[in-house]
């Protein structure tokens, strides 16, 4: 009797969960990550990066409307370890004219175990491998350095000074391979209070639009 009752209760709970899932609205796909249809008359640009680049993708695309097909990787680029694994699938088989790319904020963040996700030496080595792969595409490459971490308690934990050291490591790699550097770090640093969210590494919608203006400029220069 007791076993039968327990089975009945379990069945009811299962039915309730299924009903709750059925009523839950489907999550809408992020339009930023959706593929775009190329205009065959225009050059092709690829944006690679984390959520900072996700924030400036749409306004950059709008600024370059009629001038370039602006694609982005269909996900958050995460740390360089993720880039090493997925770079081939992100690049695909199509020709790219310009690739504007960044890694850093995820590499330098502290994980629950108390250590950075990717240590500086490994970050530099990973970037070197990624740049070697990107150069094989024949595209004009633009490295966008990592934007500032504010002087506040951010979650996950990040240290402002780490951005400087990781950017220095990236600079060595880019100089070695002759890749131009888009210094978005310095641009953002002088106006953080106006464009960045409080105690957050991310930017306001208006701030992302301002960053997009800088991204669009360097891409246009590369396309000339």
């Amino acid at each position: 009797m007791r076993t039968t009752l327990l089975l009945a209760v379990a069945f009811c709970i299962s039915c309730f969960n299924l009903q709750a899932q059925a009523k839950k609205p489907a999550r809408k796909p992020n339009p930023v990550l959706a593929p775009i249809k190329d205009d065959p008359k225009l050059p092709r640009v690829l944006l690679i990066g984390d959520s900072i680049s996700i924030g400036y993708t749409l306004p950059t695309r709008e600024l370059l409307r009629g001038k370039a097909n602006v694609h982005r990787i269909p996900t958050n680029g995460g740390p360089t370890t993720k880039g090493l694994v997925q770079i081939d699938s992100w690049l695909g088989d199509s020709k790219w004219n310009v690739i504007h790319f960044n890694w850093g904020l995820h590499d330098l963040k502290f994980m629950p175990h108390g250590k950075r996700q990717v240590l500086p030496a490994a970050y530099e080595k990973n970037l070197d491998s990624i740049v070697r792969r990107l150069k094989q595409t024949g595209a004009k490459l633009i490295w966008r350095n990592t934007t500032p971490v504010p002087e506040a308690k951010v979650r996950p934990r990040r240290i402002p000074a780490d951005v400087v050291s990781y950017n220095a490591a990236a600079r060595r790699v880019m100089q070695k391979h002759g890749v131009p550097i888009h210094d978005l770090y310095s641009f953002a640093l002088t106006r953080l209070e106006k464009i960045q969210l409080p105690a957050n590494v991310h930017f306001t919608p208006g701030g992302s639009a301002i960053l997009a203006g800088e991204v669009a400029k360097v891409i246009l220069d590369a396309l000339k």
Side-chain angles (χ1 to χ4, degrees):
M1 180 69 178
R2 183 177 180 183
T3 302
T4 303
L5 180 60
L6 290 173
L7 288 172
V9 171
F11 177 76
C12 290
I13 292 174
S14 177
C15 290
F16 176 80
N17 289 336
L18 288 173
Q19 290 175 355
Q21 291 176 7
K23 292 179 181 179
K24 192 174 182 179
R27 193 173 186 179
K28 293 183 179 179
N30 188 338
V32 178
L33 305 179
I36 67 166
K37 185 176 181 180
D38 277 332
D39 179 339
K41 299 177 182 178
L42 300 177
R44 302 179 78 243
V45 175
L46 178 63
L47 301 179
I48 301 177
D50 54 29
S51 54
I52 304 302
S53 72
I54 288 175
Y56 60 63
T57 292
L58 291 183
T60 298
R61 187 175 289 157
E62 185 61 31
L63 289 168
L64 294 178
R65 183 183 296 276
K67 300 174 182 177
N69 299 300
V70 180
H71 298 255
R72 73 156 286 113
I73 58 173
T75 184
N76 184 315
T80 50
T81 47
K82 181 177 181 179
L84 286 171
V85 173
Q86 299 195 19
I87 190 64
D88 286 337
S89 64
W90 291 341
L91 292 174
D93 299 323
S94 300
K95 173 181 172 58
W96 298 107
N97 298 93
V98 173
I99 300 175
H100 184 278
F101 65 106
N102 165 265
W103 280 272
L105 276 179
H106 281 264
D107 294 85
L108 60 81
K109 77 179 180 182
F110 284 82
M111 304 301 286
H113 54 58
K115 295 182 179 179
R116 294 169 182 83
Q117 183 157 213
V118 179
L119 295 176
Y123 171 73
E124 188 167 348
K125 182 180 179 181
N126 293 346
L127 267 185
D128 186 82
S129 296
I130 290 171
V131 171
R132 289 176 186 275
R133 176 63 184 91
L134 292 176
K135 290 178 73 174
Q136 293 175 12
T137 66
K140 291 184 179 179
L141 305 182
I142 304 170
W143 166 253
R144 191 269 288 170
N145 62 7
T146 298
T147 48
V149 170
E151 294 284 353
K153 289 184 178 180
V154 297
R155 293 289 181 270
R157 183 187 172 213
R158 292 176 171 95
I159 299 174
D162 280 350
V163 181
V164 176
S165 61
Y166 278 66
N167 275 343
R171 187 184 312 115
R172 290 191 292 270
V173 174
M174 302 311 149
Q175 289 176 342
K176 174 183 175 181
H177 292 285
V179 176
I181 297 172
H182 178 196
D183 188 9
L184 206 58
Y185 172 86
S186 296
F187 175 83
L189 188 63
T190 61
R191 46 182 62 78
L192 274 190
E193 292 185 0
K194 295 181 180 179
I195 66 175
Q196 197 172 51
L197 293 167
N200 201 309
V201 299
H202 299 99
F203 296 85
T204 64
S208 289
I210 290 172
L211 298 183
E214 298 301 302
V215 173
K217 286 179 186 176
V218 299
I219 290 173
L220 276 178
D221 286 343
L223 288 172
K224 289 179 182 177

